[in-house]
Amino acid sequence: MGSKVVDLLYWKDTRTSGVIFTGLMVSLLCLLHFSIVSVAAHVALLLLCGTISLRVYRKVLHAVHRGDGANPFQAYLDVDLTLTREQTERLSQQIASQVVSAATQLRHFFLVEDLVDSLKLALLFYILTFVGAVFNGLTLLILGVIGLFTVPLLYRQHQAQIDQYVGLVTNQLSHIKAKIRAKIPGTGALASAAAAVSGSKAKAE
């Protein structure tokens, strides 16, 4: 699944990526002017009209002895969608792992396990208050979809130049982060203590 998503975002199959990108953009643009219930109903109705028309067309061909009248979607109907016990357990474990990881991160930020990380998150939310005053969530979602289908392609075409600039920005941010940590009382001592604890655990193991 992951490789298919990557191929989709990198436009390996231009037709498939174009169809999905166009469908997403049309749906999101419709949501700008109509309610989600109306858009969902119209999309479902359009899909049903297409599948029913194709099914009736096959029936008509069979009636005039120009086809077998088989369901054109039979191959999809025959796909087994049931999950084995092992697959269900593996999926449950993956979901539980993601939930625990998310809860751990939230605890780390909101209970101020690391002051610098919590301050960075506070700054991010502060910036988002200004972004929210200019854009609504749907507009940001549209921009996000455009970015998903354009940024990976641009990165692949200009990877060397982008990596160079990203490296420069990362180095600058690392220096700024180190200066901030040095000026905050106690963070250096906490980091040293954490490193010592990690080292002692590693030696014990």
Side-chain angles (χ1 to χ4, degrees):
M1 181 62 71
S3 62
K4 291 181 179 179
V5 173
V6 171
D7 292 343
L8 183 69
L9 297 180
Y10 278 100
W11 294 77
K12 295 291 183 64
D13 186 347
T14 306
R15 181 179 179 182
T16 303
S17 296
V19 168
I20 293 178
F21 176 69
T22 303
L24 286 173
M25 289 304 300
V26 169
S27 300
L28 291 174
L29 290 174
C30 288
L31 288 174
L32 285 175
H33 304 284
F34 307 101
S35 69
I36 187 171
V37 175
S38 178
V39 172
H42 279 85
V43 170
L45 183 60
L46 182 63
L47 182 61
L48 279 172
C49 288
T51 53
I52 291 173
S53 298
L54 188 55
R55 186 76 170 94
V56 171
Y57 175 70
R58 286 293 184 91
K59 286 289 187 180
V60 172
L61 288 181
H62 179 64
V64 296
H65 306 289
R66 295 185 59 183
D68 56 3
N71 191 330
F73 310 106
Q74 192 61 46
Y76 301 101
L77 293 172
D78 292 337
V79 174
D80 187 10
L81 298 179
T82 58
L83 296 176
T84 63
R85 182 176 180 180
E86 291 76 12
Q87 291 174 327
T88 304
E89 291 178 353
R90 184 169 65 251
L91 183 60
S92 301
Q93 290 175 355
Q94 291 175 351
I95 294 174
S97 176
Q98 293 295 327
V99 171
V100 171
S101 176
T104 303
Q105 288 298 321
L106 290 174
R107 182 184 64 181
H108 171 78
F109 287 118
F110 286 96
L111 298 183
V112 200
E113 183 178 4
D114 188 305
L115 182 58
V116 174
D117 288 343
S118 297
L119 287 174
K120 289 191 293 185
L121 184 64
L123 178 61
L124 174 62
F125 283 130
Y126 180 71
I127 294 173
L128 287 178
T129 59
F130 294 98
V131 174
V134 179
F135 305 102
N136 59 27
L138 192 57
T139 303
L140 292 175
L141 187 59
I142 292 174
L143 294 176
V145 171
I146 295 174
L148 279 176
F149 280 87
T150 55
V151 172
L153 187 60
L154 292 175
Y155 176 74
R156 187 177 63 178
Q157 295 175 346
H158 307 283
Q159 183 174 357
Q161 297 91 327
I162 294 175
D163 286 344
Q164 180 181 358
Y165 289 117
V166 169
L168 293 174
V169 173
T170 302
N171 290 333
Q172 290 296 327
L173 291 176
S174 298
H175 289 311
I176 294 172
K177 184 177 180 180
K179 291 180 180 179
I180 293 175
R181 286 183 179 276
K183 292 182 178 180
I184 296 177
T187 53
L190 288 174
S192 301
V197 171
S198 300
S200 62
K201 286 184 179 180
K203 290 180 180 179
E205 292 175 356

